Amino acid sequence: MGKISEKKSAASCSGCFAWGQLPGRFCRGCYTYGQQHAVGECAGCRRQVPVDDKYGYCRLCRAQATWAIKASGKASVIEPHLRQVTCQQLFFANLQRPKNGGPRVGKAGRRVLKPSPLPEPPRVITTSTQLTLFTAPRDFRRFDRELHADLANPWLVRARQAARALGEARGWSRWIASDVNRALVIVLSGFREGESIRYSELFPALRVRGLPVVRTAEVLDHLGLFTDDRAPAVDRWLERKLDGIPPGIHRAVEAWIRTLLDGGPRSAPRSRRTTWAYLSEIQPVLLEWSNRYDHLREVSREDIIAARDAVTGKQRESRIVALRSLFRHAKKNGQIFRSPRSASVSPGRPAASFKPSTRRTSTKPSPPPPPQTSDSSSPWPPSMRHDRR
């Protein structure tokens, strides 16, 4: 049976009465059925058409019994349903098979299909390894599949098999699996043993083509071929915030920030929002001190007071809390010898003196007034100071 012309008009099949464009008097199914079986009287419809040798039914009756089995939703043999055929459901030619759903008929419906096992990946055997003199970044954006693709590369073969197994376990769609396959061809066509695919090389080449970066990196990491050379977000943030600060102050502030984020032996970690607020509040102060000092040990009490009085309201309280936390951490870790906030009396302030009472209403001397609980010269407000007893 040859190809059906698009200009040919539709007709009805002489065997199953299917309507559509036919290559001749019969549709393709009836033509094949007639080549395999002899003509006889059908046990169901009583027509003189090709019938099977086992039950004596034509293709139309067998198709009706098959649809009845699929409609019931249970796998069964076809013989009981053949005897129950009393009418025929007509259909379009060459469309009934794709539209048939449900379980398979007969023994095929009772069997559980086992997935074919994946072949063992070939072992990559090399007689020698070329040592790397220096590492040069590779530009996968220049990859051309027609010129550079090497589908026989053993590492590419292993990676594609690993991607297939990982996709089945994760439930990847066929579009995702196809994109990952394309990405592996790009990065592993010229791969050699001992090399590694870095994230900085992988991301630009796949992003410009719209291919999945994370899933491709997951497959490469599964094979031990991936190196994540991205700098942590905290490091980039600290580098940006502490730009222009001398090394002595930079080290102390960085150690303080990492203790706030990760915690220490006797300190719980703080939230990222709190850490960001602390450093953002004292960053202008640190930049101002960096013009005069090289280390926090050089910061004096007057510098603390000036930084405190430069702002007001809620910002003043936030700055006091952040500076107190910074100098407490520096004092605890030996980065400064004495905290500038620990002085209680300003330089040149006279000591307090008390005079005895001159009233004669009592023979006992009057008690001295209680000591002052607040020090106006202290850089910290009373609610944030801890008196030593």
Side-chain angles (χ1 to χ4, degrees), residues 365-381:
S366 60
Q372 297 181 1
T373 59
S374 62
D375 189 357
S376 60
S377 63
S378 176
W380 315 113

Side-chain angles (χ1 to χ4, degrees), residues 251-319:
R251 287 192 297 268
V253 176
E254 182 178 358
W256 168 57
I257 290 297
R258 294 192 181 278
T259 302
L260 290 178
L261 289 173
D262 305 330
R266 299 186 63 182
S267 60
R270 308 296 295 272
S271 65
R272 289 182 176 269
R273 184 175 180 180
T274 301
T275 307
W276 180 86
Y278 278 7
L279 185 55
S280 298
E281 182 58 46
I282 67 172
Q283 183 189 16
V285 180
L286 296 176
L287 291 175
E288 182 183 356
W289 290 347
S290 300
N291 298 328
R292 295 175 291 169
Y293 307 131
D294 295 330
H295 204 281
L296 289 180
R297 288 192 294 264
E298 305 176 44
V299 179
S300 63
R301 174 186 173 84
E302 286 73 16
D303 297 326
I304 295 289
I305 296 176
R308 179 199 65 180
D309 297 339
V311 292
T312 58
K314 183 66 176 178
Q315 187 178 2
R316 173 191 174 102
E317 298 180 6
S318 301
R319 181 167 295 186

Side-chain angles (χ1 to χ4, degrees), residues 328-339:
R328 180 184 298 170
H329 178 272
K331 178 67 167 55
K332 179 180 178 180
N333 291 272
Q335 295 169 337
I336 60 175
F337 303 116
R338 184 172 181 269
S339 176

Side-chain angles (χ1 to χ4, degrees), residues 16-30:
C16 63
F17 305 112
W19 179 263
Q21 288 183 329
L22 308 177
R25 293 180 54 246
F26 299 94
C27 64
R28 296 185 184 275
C30 290

Side-chain angles (χ1 to χ4, degrees), residues 125-186:
I125 302 176
T126 57
T127 57
S128 61
T129 301
Q130 176 66 42
L131 299 179
T132 303
L133 180 61
F134 59 89
T135 303
R138 290 162 292 189
D139 189 4
F140 294 114
R141 291 175 295 182
R142 300 181 179 180
F143 180 84
D144 188 348
R145 190 181 181 93
E146 296 182 357
L147 301 177
H148 306 135
D150 182 11
L151 301 182
N153 189 306
W155 289 101
L156 176 58
V157 175
R158 292 186 59 188
R160 297 174 76 174
Q161 293 176 358
R164 190 182 305 113
L166 191 61
E168 293 178 356
R170 301 291 175 83
W172 293 352
S173 64
R174 61 186 182 93
W175 293 280
I176 295 178
S178 176
D179 289 344
V180 172
N181 187 22
R182 289 175 53 199
L184 292 176
V185 172
I186 293 174

Side-chain angles (χ1 to χ4, degrees), residues 79-139:
E79 183 180 5
H81 293 273
L82 285 173
R83 293 194 296 265
Q84 298 175 5
V85 173
T86 57
C87 59
Q88 302 290 350
Q89 174 65 50
L90 302 183
F91 48 88
F92 291 102
N94 303 323
L95 294 180
Q96 70 278 10
R97 184 173 295 276
K99 294 297 181 180
N100 281 345
R104 298 187 177 186
V105 181
K107 296 181 180 180
R110 294 190 295 272
R111 281 198 306 265
V112 178
L113 298 179
K114 297 182 180 180
S116 57
L118 295 175
E120 290 293 333
R123 296 183 59 186
V124 181
I125 302 176
T126 57
T127 57
S128 61
T129 301
Q130 176 66 42
L131 299 179
T132 303
L133 180 61
F134 59 89
T135 303
R138 290 162 292 189
D139 189 4

